[in-house]
Amino acid sequence: MFKINENYLKLPGSYLFSTIGKKVNAYAAAHPDKKVIRLGIGDVTQPLAPAIIEALHKAVDEMAAAETFRGYAPDLGYEFLRNAIAENDYRARGCNISADEIFISDGAKCDSGNIQEIFGQGNKIAVCDPVYPVYVDTNVMAGRTGVYDSAKETWSDVIYMPCTAENNFAPEIPKERPDIIYLCFPNNPTGSAITKPQLQEWVDYANKVGAVIIYDAAYEAYISEENVPHSIYECEGAGLCAIELRSFSKNAGFTGVRLGFTVIPKELKCGEVSLHSLWARRHGTKYNGAPYIVQRAGEAVYSPEGKRQLKQQIAYYMKNARYILEGLQSAGYTVSGGVNAPYIWLKAPGGMSSWEFFDDLLERANVVGTPGSGFGPSGETYFRLTAFGSYENTVEAVDRIRAL
Ligand code: MLT
């Protein structure tokens, strides 16, 4: 008889955003007269920028002619895209990352879930609490997290680094030594950011104890403050200890198009083994690359027109963020985030739990958010709203909440 991967049976409940989706769909079906405004999952709503659409059309036409048709993409991704990334995202910021240290993929969610495959079973992971659930769940699937405590909602073999109002939602170096440290800044879900000296401390710590940092920078395009690093490679020594994940979903609206990349510097090694070569082996074996058409669309993100148009798109979402932040603050809510990130993190009022507030908001204001407890125990009594809605819906949602 075949056997299943029993680690999957340890996973409590379904994936957070699937659970929310089901709840909201059931509510909407039962109340067809209500206009439900969804500020839950961080999914974009603005159409793709004209420069990207133009690049997509052009690439589609190329696929229609034998001379310009493309089959399988190169393992690591097309050079035109990797060069554009290396130049614009790294060298322009003084980071010493070359095109052949960049692996193109179909998004940061997949990469953040898959990257743990190249690490041994016995590694101990450390995560922020609250945290994007993919990091933990994929380590559960790999059997790396020990036993689940349903009362505490924690895993015995995971080091949790609480991010609370007391520490300004920035994790502190844990007492127990981790092997793999997941960091995401600007942060999902709290919307907080850390300064370059703060990130440098993590890099120094990882290099000192021989840990690797998996740095999720999916929201870097939303940084508005000067002292906040866009890449971990802005820090001294990060090439020796850090893998960086990036996405085109949030900076360019590719949630439905799918494109991302992972950076693994060649100098990042475990003993004599370079992690770059392991990920290259994995990529080559299990992945056939993001579509040519999509990679051309990604290239357009870095064109002068693309850059200009996307700056406007980010500004549009950040105007929403400001409206939520200021609107809820003036209504007496305790609110943070929304300055360097498209997420606003608020305290549920009146001592409500995260899920109680979720139900209350859905029921009385017909507004969907994400319960903070879904991201980890320290998220309990918190709630996340995304700035990725349309401006009109954002204004209406905030006004409805204020009127409760
Ligand atoms: C979120 O809402 O946290 C994100 O949209 C999820 C994701 O990017 O996969």
Side-chain angles (χ1 to χ4, degrees):
M1 181 65 183
F2 65 85
K3 295 181 183 56
I4 55 160
N5 176 353
E6 296 207 353
N7 294 319
Y8 276 66
L9 304 180
K10 299 179 193 163
L11 289 162
S14 57
Y15 182 58
L16 174 63
F17 293 106
S18 315
T19 310
I20 293 169
K22 276 188 209 129
K23 262 185 169 258
V24 175
N25 290 342
Y27 180 86
H31 303 86
D33 52 316
K34 306 272 195 214
K35 180 189 166 195
V36 175
I37 300 181
R38 294 166 197 254
L39 303 181
I41 190 162
D43 196 2
V44 294
T45 52
Q46 290 298 292
L48 294 172
I52 294 166
I53 291 293
E54 199 181 309
L56 280 167
H57 281 301
K58 191 161 164 262
V60 167
D61 286 343
E62 283 180 56
M63 295 299 261
E67 310 77 58
T68 46
F69 170 80
R70 313 276 182 130
Y72 291 125
D75 272 2
L76 267 62
Y78 283 101
E79 254 183 56
F80 59 76
L81 179 56
R82 291 188 291 122
N83 284 334
I85 293 169
E87 190 50 50
N88 291 279
D89 284 328
Y90 295 104
R91 279 198 287 274
R93 293 196 182 278
C95 306
N96 187 20
I97 295 294
S98 61
D100 63 358
E101 294 173 311
I102 295 164
F103 297 78
I104 306 299
S105 73
D106 58 356
K109 179 179 183 179
C110 318
D111 282 356
S112 68
N114 291 329
I115 194 73
Q116 49 75 29
E117 272 187 35
I118 63 169
F119 296 102
Q121 190 75 13
N123 284 295
K124 191 133 203 179
I125 68 161
V127 294
C128 291
D129 170 26
V131 70
Y132 179 47
V134 174
Y135 313 150
V136 176
D137 286 3
T138 52
N139 277 285
V140 174
M141 292 167 178
R144 209 175 274 122
T145 54
V147 179
Y148 188 64
D149 179 333
S150 56
K152 290 195 189 138
E153 299 186 347
T154 54
W155 294 90
S156 61
D157 290 353
V158 172
I159 300 169
Y160 291 89
M161 305 182 289
C163 297
T164 60
E166 286 69 46
N167 58 20
N168 221 2
F169 304 105
E172 283 150 31
I173 305 278
K175 290 195 181 69
E176 190 184 349
R177 190 178 65 76
D179 302 300
I180 302 171
I181 303 163
Y182 286 86
L183 294 177
C184 170
F185 287 105
N187 187 255
N188 178 16
T190 66
S192 66
I194 57 173
T195 61
K196 192 165 154 190
Q198 281 177 299
L199 186 55
Q200 184 68 56
E201 272 180 43
W202 282 99
V203 169
D204 293 344
Y205 170 72
N207 278 326
K208 189 173 99 196
V209 301
V212 64
I213 297 175
I214 298 174
Y215 193 72
D216 184 345
Y219 298 94
E220 65 77 33
Y222 291 84
I223 292 171
S224 67
E225 292 180 323
E226 273 297 305
N227 58 350
V228 176
H230 288 249
S231 164
I232 196 165
Y233 304 116
E234 290 176 41
C235 295
E236 201 78 34
L240 295 166
C241 68
I243 292 174
E244 183 162 287
L245 312 172
R246 290 279 189 108
S247 167
F248 286 78
S249 289
K250 320 290 171 166
N251 64 336
F254 278 41
T255 53
V257 178
R258 307 308 308 152
L259 192 65
F261 61 91
T262 288
V263 181
I264 309 190
K266 293 202 170 141
E267 59 181 335
L268 174 47
K269 291 192 173 153
C270 178
E272 288 307 301
V273 182
S274 97
L275 297 191
H276 183 281
S277 66
L278 297 187
W279 189 242
R281 184 68 170 87
R282 194 252 171 221
H283 225 55
T285 306
K286 292 198 177 182
Y287 188 57
N288 259 336
Y292 171 71
I293 297 163
V294 172
Q295 295 197 46
R296 279 292 184 203
E299 183 189 25
V301 166
Y302 299 100
S303 69
E305 272 302 278
K307 282 185 189 168
R308 196 182 51 74
Q309 292 161 4
L310 291 173
K311 215 169 151 188
Q312 283 172 4
Q313 205 168 80
I314 305 278
Y316 176 95
Y317 290 131
M318 288 313 272
K319 187 172 158 204
N320 293 348
R322 214 165 28 251
Y323 193 87
I324 302 173
L325 194 66
E326 289 170 5
L328 296 185
Q329 240 157 17
S330 66
Y333 284 84
T334 305
V335 200
S336 59
V339 174
N340 294 297
Y343 293 126
I344 286 86
W345 192 239
L346 61 129
K347 187 96 179 144
M352 268 190 267
S353 74
S354 299
W355 277 107
E356 280 166 354
F357 188 53
F358 173 90
D359 289 332
D360 188 58
L361 217 55
L362 181 58
E363 192 67 41
R364 294 201 296 136
N366 307 141
V367 172
V368 180
T370 309
S373 57
F375 297 103
S378 296
E380 182 54 286
T381 74
Y382 281 91
F383 199 73
R384 193 193 76 178
L385 290 173
T386 149
F388 286 126
S390 69
Y391 183 66
E392 294 70 27
N393 277 347
T394 303
V395 169
E396 191 175 336
V398 171
D399 293 352
R400 284 189 205 167
I401 299 173
R402 285 165 57 91
L404 286 178

